[in-house]
Amino acid sequence: MKNILIKGSPGTGKTFLARAMAFYLCHEKLKIDDFSGMDIYSDLESINKFVESEYCEFIQVHPSMSYEDIVYGIEIKANGSIDFSYTERRIKELCDRATGKSELYCIIFDDIYRTNASVLLGNLLYAMEYRNQSVELIDGNTICIPENVVIIFTECKQIYSNSLDYALRRRMDYAIELSSDRTLLEAYYDSVLSLNEKKIVLDVYDNVRNYLMRNIMQDSDKKVEDYIPGHGMFMVDRSGTAYLILDKIKQILIYQLFPYLSYLHSSGILSGNLESFFDATKNKINTGISSLNNIADIKKVFVNSGSVVTPFSLLDSKNYYTSTIIPNDCREHRGILECVIDAIILNGILPYDVAYSALLTNTSVASVESSTSPTEYAAYIVKEKSADKFLYQTARSSTTKRSPHSYYSRTSARNTRWSAHKDTIAYSFSYKDGTKDEVYFPLNGFRSHNYSNNTPIIHPKSNAANIYPAVYRLLDSYLRIYETNISLIMGSSKSYKDLNNLISLEIKYLMALHRELKKYKGDSDKLKFFGSKIIMLQTLWNSVGSDIFVDEVKYNNLVSGKTVFTIDAYEDMYNYSARTRKILTLKGVIKMTDLKEYQNIMENIGVRQMIFQGPPGTSKTFESKKFVLKQLDATAPALSKTCISQEDVSNDLIQYKLTAKDYDDPSSSSKLNTGGWDLVQFHPSYGYEDFIRGIEVKAAGGSPSYVSVNRILGKIAEFAQIAAKSSSTDEPKFYLIIDEINRANLATVFGELIYGLEYRNSSVSTPYEVNDKASGTTTKDIVLGKNLFIIGTMNTADKSIDSIDYAIRRRFIFIDSPADRNVVIQCYQNVSGKTDEDSIELLLFDAVQAIFEDERFFNDEYQKSDVKLGHTYFLRGNSIAYREVIIERFVFQVVPILREYIKDGILDSIEDLVSIENSVTDIKATLDRENQIKLLAQNIMLYIKEFGNANKNGNIINNEYIGKFIENLCIEFKY
């Protein structure tokens, strides 16, 4: 197979398969039909290495790419002067390398539909078909594509005008069409999700597919299948617990899939009520995550009477342990284990189902063999009906006759907490799926049995000897499960990292206690020592959300290894002063990401580009700057203010702004350690050479000097790379804010860096050769590191610009920035010092929003959230001249935008609004707030539609007229 075409709808894995195919065909020498069953995910590292090797050229096609860029053409080198020369480009260079070799080489053209393929490829079309034949180039040189070069094309079947013509299609030796595949999605999650968990994902996939099948607008030119989101849109990194995986799926739905569907809707391709569909889909995911924990509640009950034990609380168990068990030399064996089980159930660290399956019934942690069914085992709890199967016998002191006992007994012991009740305890489980309540007896007999291979058995004959390994193994397993799950979800969060370090110290402490037992001879003395020490395990005896206080210096020294770990050093860590106190907060292992933790979301789903999208006046640029400030300095003064202004954020951000000096001399910049940011605004004439790399002209001594240089993306990418290489711990983060990102043609502006957005840390070849400070070489390559994040803002009401195509869209997450009534209220209350909501700003805001809710005025072909005017036009800036400010904003900002909406067909009315204009007095006289808003909205609609014309009294509706009306509103409503 020499020429291969992979085509398919969005998210079906075309690029993923092309890269894998290149590796298996050329490096592994497999036949094309032999690797269909290969586990590509296990070979990803090898695939990446091959694609970046000399044997492969990956070409990200973009609209401004030409034949001269990739085959053979004039190269401009600017190094003081400009030199022009015909130069071999990437395709000819690879063909030259491959000529005469036995190895196989590969060229991948990704997204070939982005441009006119016949123009781009030119005489390569002939060379593709007639291998080993020379094709003449422009200056008399030739190119020949040898037999050992495989060429792979990917094509997206969707909204693009460039389709592959017959001249290219007929040269394909092999073509494969990918579609959204449910079976691939199911197989992807086979090893990490249970049947019930997988069903949640597949149900959501089916719902999305069915919704699109029902609501795609029927058109002879459109195929419904071309718009179905591929299975790749539902695939996330599979590491972590099922809860975390489902949470990541929820994030990708909200921030990538839903915006894609909204895009189809606004393009006239999709109909239906999207908002209700989105709500239903989110609820399904929410219900699904909740339903993974089928145990609804666990109560403590008396075995014989069946009555509920009160109180059953973490504090009660901890107090009993410290006030009774420890002072009595830890002789109450049942009580020790009972309190530990209580703590695991009650502290909220692990969901009930995880505690149940991973610890309390896990026979690899502790196993008691049934005396009646040798193949049946139990661990720390067992169902009541099975308890009698687990017996052991002991000899009485006065006779050789043996007496039966139970590991899971319903008999009250002489020295237990419940001896006065003449009863013993059990745990009653209730379930969410209607399963009948079940009672579980805890392990309370401690004769010799298995605590797994690594169990530190002290002595096999006494209860005192065996309670130790039983509790030790339970605590060790608990801490290791906790540590594993926290490490999977902590990301770059400092609070989670601190907690993870604390858990690691507790594991060391538990191991140190075991080593210390060698100093004690008797079993009782050993248990007394061990039992009295485990109360120091803070993550066991405190609940989720609790604050743990340590001495910061002692803690840091133990974590770093500066202080040698000992039992005393660990315990001394909790001796602190007010000056040295450090707070660690306990967190559970189910971390449902806050849907405003955008940094975590980007890192969770592996998409490091984000766009704040919304209509005019929704604080998109402000929110992007505030987001960046929070990442670079979470303690910045602006972030603690009740009412944060643009100026506050800008003042705190200024110290992190990358300057020309930073870019010119990175080694002396403080931002290598702190991270930094920069900002650019796109516009329709903005191009690749303005954004990534280009030729800079300087006038030195009256003569022009030309040099190839990095532009803003190239500069910040280079700086981020240097910072990553110089960092010994966490890589500092860098942010490029792109204001009005959709006003430029993104496919052209990003060029081949479209590939780099997804495949971070991969080298991407550019047309310009620069002196790269990160590598210390002169190179055409550019690398976008994982510590670089791109934050865009997009005005969704701007329909005069080209849409963002899907290949770029799926490389971003989209954050909605809607009009927010609460912001208007809070700003008014903060500035005025009042607690009411009676402001002219809120009255006008509500009236403008009401226009979009009125079917008489709003064109439902548009998404309301795309065009509803934002809150920033209605914010009170000071407590004195607020009337003048709101009048000026309304007249000179709000009215012009609404008039544009009239011109664009977003707003309109067939009614004669002139005849029903309402006076200020009429509006005030309508005591019902809803009716006041309705009448005011009707007036505003009249003013924007009939601007420049006369009202029913003959007055011209102009800026002065509208301003006077707003002023009279203030007077009438006493604002």
Side-chain angles (χ1 to χ4, degrees):
M1 296 295 176
K2 302 170 189 174
N3 306 318
I4 300 168
L5 175 64
I6 304 172
K7 58 182 178 177
S9 53
T12 49
K14 299 178 293 298
T15 304
F16 182 77
L17 180 60
R19 289 162 54 87
M21 193 177 281
F23 170 73
Y24 290 123
L25 288 176
C26 300
H27 186 272
E28 299 294 293
K29 306 293 195 326
L30 297 180
K31 300 285 187 184
I32 200 161
D33 294 325
D34 291 344
F35 64 81
S36 57
M38 300 293 291
D39 183 3
I40 297 176
Y41 296 98
S42 65
D43 292 327
L44 282 181
E45 186 175 348
S46 298
I47 292 170
N48 291 338
K49 286 181 179 178
F50 176 77
V51 172
E52 292 200 22
S53 74
E54 64 174 314
Y55 297 98
C56 184
E57 285 292 343
F58 186 100
I59 298 174
Q60 177 67 65
V61 178
H62 56 85
S64 61
M65 180 176 280
S66 68
Y67 175 91
E68 288 75 17
D69 294 327
I70 59 173
V71 184
Y72 191 80
I74 293 177
E75 181 177 53
I76 302 174
K77 286 192 175 182
N79 191 10
S81 61
I82 289 187
D83 297 323
F84 299 88
S85 62
Y86 280 105
T87 307
E88 293 185 353
R89 305 294 192 175
R90 297 164 64 191
I91 290 177
K92 188 173 188 319
E93 287 175 339
L94 180 135
C95 290
D96 289 347
R97 291 198 300 271
T99 300
K101 304 287 177 59
S102 60
E103 293 91 345
L104 294 178
Y105 292 71
C106 185
I107 301 168
I108 302 173
F109 286 95
D110 198 34
D111 296 341
I112 188 65
Y113 57 86
R114 285 186 175 282
T115 190
N116 186 315
S118 295
V119 173
L120 175 67
L121 298 175
N123 54 14
L124 280 186
L125 287 173
Y126 178 87
M128 284 170 55
E129 183 173 4
Y130 299 100
R131 298 298 181 98
N132 291 330
Q133 291 190 26
S134 296
V135 176
E136 189 170 341
L137 298 172
I138 194 166
D139 65 345
N141 278 295
T142 60
I143 184 173
C144 152
I145 302 180
E147 292 281 354
N148 59 331
V149 174
V150 176
I151 304 178
I152 303 174
F153 298 87
T154 71
E155 176 193 13
C156 185
K157 305 187 312 174
Q158 220 207 34
I159 316 164
Y160 310 105
S161 57
N162 298 312
S163 58
L164 300 192
D165 61 25
Y166 177 70
L168 179 58
R169 289 189 187 279
R170 77 174 184 80
R171 286 173 165 83
M172 296 301 149
D173 302 305
Y174 184 88
I176 181 172
E177 185 165 331
L178 304 180
S179 58
S180 193
D181 194 329
R182 190 179 192 272
T183 58
L184 288 178
L185 184 64
E186 188 173 10
Y188 181 75
Y189 290 115
D190 257 349
S191 61
V192 293
L193 297 179
S194 69
L195 287 175
N196 286 337
E197 295 155 4
K198 207 161 44 175
K199 185 177 183 300
I200 296 166
V201 181
L202 296 175
D203 282 350
V204 169
Y205 171 86
D206 291 339
N207 283 357
V208 171
R209 181 184 178 86
N210 292 337
Y211 181 84
L212 283 165
M213 296 293 287
R214 292 193 308 269
N215 291 286
I216 288 285
M217 303 292 281
Q218 297 302 312
D219 189 306
S220 59
D221 295 331
K222 297 183 178 71
K223 292 182 180 179
V224 174
E225 283 291 335
D226 292 350
Y227 298 93
I228 301 294
H231 45 272
M233 286 295 291
F234 301 83
M235 291 177 171
V236 297
D237 177 52
R238 293 176 292 184
S239 64
T241 62
Y243 299 89
L244 180 60
I245 292 170
L246 288 175
D247 193 27
K248 286 187 280 193
I249 292 172
K250 179 178 179 180
Q251 293 163 31
I252 209 169
L253 285 175
I254 293 172
Y255 296 115
Q256 286 200 302
L257 183 64
F258 290 176
Y260 167 67
L261 298 183
S262 296
Y263 163 62
L264 293 182
H265 189 279
S266 63
S267 301
I269 296 167
L270 182 65
S271 63
N273 188 331
L274 278 182
E275 290 182 8
S276 61
F277 174 70
F278 291 165
D279 288 341
T281 306
K282 282 188 286 188
N283 288 338
K284 179 172 277 294
I285 285 286
N286 289 338
T287 302
I289 290 172
S290 174
S291 69
L292 291 179
N293 193 2
N294 189 40
I295 301 171
D297 194 20
I298 301 177
K299 293 184 174 66
K300 203 174 205 177
V301 295
F302 286 116
V303 170
N304 297 311
S305 70
S307 59
V308 175
V309 175
T310 56
F312 178 38
S313 69
L314 182 61
L315 181 61
D316 178 64
S317 293
K318 183 178 180 180
N319 286 343
Y320 182 76
Y321 197 96
T322 55
S323 65
T324 304
I325 291 179
I326 293 176
N328 285 289
D329 296 336
C330 301
R331 289 192 298 266
E332 189 184 328
H333 307 142
R334 284 191 186 186
I336 294 173
L337 186 60
E338 178 191 329
C339 287
V340 171
I341 292 174
D342 286 356
I344 290 172
I345 290 172
L346 294 168
N347 65 19
I349 299 294
L350 302 175
Y352 288 148
D353 285 60
V354 174
Y356 170 84
S357 60
L359 293 173
L360 301 180
T361 60
N362 187 352
T363 54
S364 67
V365 178
S367 60
V368 179
E369 186 179 28
S370 167
S371 58
T372 58
S373 303
T375 59
E376 189 173 345
Y377 294 86
Y380 291 95
I381 59 173
V382 69
K383 288 181 182 179
E384 179 181 19
K385 63 182 180 182
S386 300
D388 290 342
K389 296 179 182 179
F390 298 91
L391 300 172
Y392 64 93
Q393 293 184 324
T394 56
R396 294 176 179 175
S397 57
S398 58
T399 176
T400 57
K401 186 177 181 181
R402 302 183 69 80
S403 177
H405 297 270
S406 176
Y407 285 105
Y408 309 93
S409 176
R410 61 177 66 246
T411 304
S412 177
R414 292 190 303 274
N415 63 342
T416 72
R417 182 180 183 182
W418 314 110
S419 55
H421 294 260
K422 297 182 179 178
D423 214 330
T424 191
I425 59 96
Y427 299 95
S428 176
F429 286 57
S430 58
Y431 301 92
K432 295 178 182 177
D433 63 0
T435 301
K436 186 179 178 181
D437 288 4
E438 294 177 315
V439 173
Y440 285 80
F441 287 2
L443 177 62
N444 49 41
F446 298 99
R447 294 298 173 184
S448 178
H449 49 276
N450 180 37
Y451 298 101
S452 92
N453 296 334
N454 298 319
T455 302
I457 298 290
I458 303 172
H459 193 281
K461 294 183 178 179
S462 70
N463 278 333
N466 280 280
I467 182 61
Y468 165 73
V471 174
Y472 179 95
R473 285 294 300 162
L474 182 56
L475 291 176
D476 182 65
S477 299
Y478 164 78
L479 289 172
R480 292 184 188 280
I481 289 173
Y482 192 12
E483 181 185 43
T484 298
N485 283 278
I486 288 295
S487 68
L488 288 172
I489 63 177
M490 67 183 180
S492 61
S493 168
K494 188 174 187 308
S495 60
Y496 273 89
K497 287 183 178 179
D498 282 339
L499 175 58
N500 193 56
N501 288 333
L502 177 64
I503 301 168
S504 298
L505 293 178
E506 291 198 340
I507 292 172
K508 289 182 178 180
Y509 180 68
L510 192 65
M511 295 171 66
L513 294 180
H514 170 56
R515 291 192 297 268
E516 187 72 9
L517 290 176
K518 296 176 182 178
K519 297 179 180 179
Y520 297 87
K521 293 183 179 180
D523 294 339
S524 296
D525 288 339
K526 290 179 179 180
L527 186 58
K528 176 183 175 181
F529 167 77
F530 175 74
S532 65
K533 290 292 188 181
I534 62 173
I535 199 67
M536 294 298 295
L537 298 174
Q538 304 300 317
T539 66
L540 176 70
W541 301 105
N542 292 283
S543 59
V544 166
S546 297
D547 288 335
I548 308 300
F549 304 107
V550 298
D551 183 285
E552 185 167 14
V553 174
K554 297 172 184 175
Y555 165 85
N556 289 337
N557 287 343
L558 281 173
V559 169
S560 66
K562 188 174 181 179
T563 297
V564 176
F565 189 95
T566 64
I567 293 173
D568 290 340
Y570 169 84
E571 294 175 352
D572 185 50
M573 178 176 71
Y574 296 104
N575 296 318
Y576 56 86
S577 66
R579 184 177 57 83
T580 62
R581 188 181 76 170
K582 178 181 178 68
I583 301 175
L584 307 174
T585 303
L586 290 190
K587 300 174 185 291
V589 301
I590 300 182
K591 184 192 174 190
M592 295 305 297
T593 304
D594 181 342
L595 293 180
K596 290 192 176 181
E597 289 183 1
Y598 304 132
Q599 182 71 38
N600 287 344
I601 290 166
M602 283 193 285
E603 293 179 11
N604 279 346
I605 64 179
V607 177
R608 287 170 164 77
Q609 295 77 232
M610 173 173 71
I611 291 177
F612 287 98
Q613 63 173 4
T618 51
S619 307
K620 298 179 290 296
T621 305
F622 170 72
E623 287 298 327
S624 65
K625 286 184 175 180
K626 189 169 77 169
F627 165 78
V628 170
L629 177 60
K630 184 179 178 182
Q631 308 317 311
L632 295 177
D633 186 0
T635 62
L639 299 175
S640 63
K641 290 189 175 182
T642 306
C643 189
I644 314 173
S645 70
Q646 182 87 248
E647 186 179 3
D648 292 331
V649 172
S650 296
N651 287 340
D652 285 349
L653 266 178
I654 215 163
Q655 62 181 307
Y656 301 102
K657 178 79 161 59
L658 289 163
T659 65
K661 184 178 179 181
D662 294 315
Y663 290 131
D664 291 342
D665 186 12
S667 61
S668 63
S669 172
S670 62
K671 280 108 177 180
L672 286 180
N673 300 314
T674 64
W677 70 286
D678 212 334
L679 181 144
V680 63
Q681 187 174 59
F682 279 3
H683 50 78
S685 62
Y686 204 79
Y688 178 96
E689 284 75 14
D690 303 304
F691 184 55
I692 297 175
R693 282 178 179 168
I695 296 175
E696 184 177 77
V697 183
K698 293 183 178 180
S703 300
S705 174
Y706 305 89
V707 62
S708 296
V709 295
N710 278 318
R711 300 301 189 187
I712 191 165
L713 180 59
K715 288 192 292 186
I716 197 169
E718 179 185 68
F719 197 95
Q721 280 282 296
I722 294 169
K725 290 178 179 179
S726 64
S727 174
S728 58
T729 53
D730 295 334
E731 295 179 3
K733 295 180 173 63
F734 295 86
Y735 299 85
L736 177 60
I737 298 175
I738 305 176
D739 205 24
E740 303 286 0
I741 192 171
N742 59 336
R743 290 195 64 79
N745 184 324
L746 295 192
T748 300
V749 172
F750 277 96
E752 58 279 326
L753 264 297
I754 296 169
Y755 172 81
L757 293 176
E758 182 171 6
Y759 293 93
R760 292 303 187 95
N761 289 336
S762 297
S763 295
V764 180
S765 181
T766 73
Y768 295 95
E769 190 173 73
V770 300
N771 294 319
D772 181 57
K773 297 181 181 71
S775 64
T777 62
T778 299
T779 179
K780 290 182 177 181
D781 291 345
I782 189 171
V783 175
L784 300 185
K786 290 187 176 181
N787 62 334
L788 174 61
F789 298 85
I790 296 174
I791 314 299
T793 69
M794 184 170 81
N795 181 357
T796 51
D798 189 349
K799 302 299 180 185
S800 65
I801 51 177
D802 292 333
S803 300
I804 301 176
D805 71 38
Y806 178 74
I808 295 176
R809 182 172 284 276
R810 73 178 181 83
R811 286 167 166 86
F812 285 81
I813 67 171
F814 289 79
I815 309 299
D816 285 327
S817 298
D820 192 337
R821 188 175 190 267
N822 289 328
V823 175
V824 180
I825 295 171
Q826 289 169 8
C827 190
Y828 157 67
Q829 291 176 343
N830 288 331
V831 172
S832 68
K834 298 178 181 178
T835 58
D836 59 63
E837 298 179 5
D838 299 327
S839 71
I840 181 62
E841 292 90 353
L842 186 61
L843 182 68
L844 290 173
F845 174 85
D846 286 343
V848 169
Q849 302 307 304
I851 292 173
F852 296 91
E853 298 296 336
D854 195 324
E855 62 183 15
R856 296 177 300 161
F857 306 144
F858 181 66
N859 182 349
D860 63 6
E861 292 181 4
Y862 291 83
Q863 285 284 101
K864 290 176 185 175
S865 59
D866 285 349
V867 293
K868 269 188 174 181
L869 223 56
H871 46 266
T872 61
Y873 301 113
F874 305 91
L875 301 183
R876 182 168 293 194
N878 61 70
S879 58
I880 300 173
Y882 63 89
R883 281 190 187 180
E884 291 83 350
V885 172
I886 189 60
I887 290 170
E888 289 172 355
R889 279 193 191 151
F890 195 82
V891 169
F892 296 111
Q893 290 185 295
V894 175
V895 169
I897 294 173
L898 294 178
R899 289 180 63 200
E900 285 297 317
Y901 283 0
I902 291 281
K903 293 177 184 178
D904 292 341
I906 298 171
L907 298 175
D908 203 356
S909 176
I910 60 173
E911 293 183 59
D912 175 17
L913 297 173
V914 174
S915 62
I916 54 174
E917 181 181 4
N918 306 286
S919 69
V920 169
T921 305
D922 291 338
I923 296 172
K924 181 67 166 66
T926 305
L927 298 178
D928 180 71
R929 171 79 176 187
E930 187 174 332
N931 282 331
Q932 289 176 342
I933 297 300
K934 183 178 179 180
L935 296 179
L936 180 53
Q938 190 171 278
N939 270 25
I940 295 171
M941 191 65 193
L942 162 65
Y943 300 152
I944 62 174
K945 184 180 180 183
E946 300 296 338
F947 192 88
N949 298 324
N951 72 349
K952 61 184 177 182
N953 297 322
N955 298 315
I956 300 299
I957 299 171
N958 54 22
N959 290 338
E960 185 179 355
Y961 181 84
I962 297 172
K964 187 64 177 176
F965 173 78
I966 304 299
E967 185 178 5
N968 289 336
L969 272 179
C970 292
I971 295 169
E972 189 70 32
F973 280 82
K974 298 180 180 179
Y975 291 142

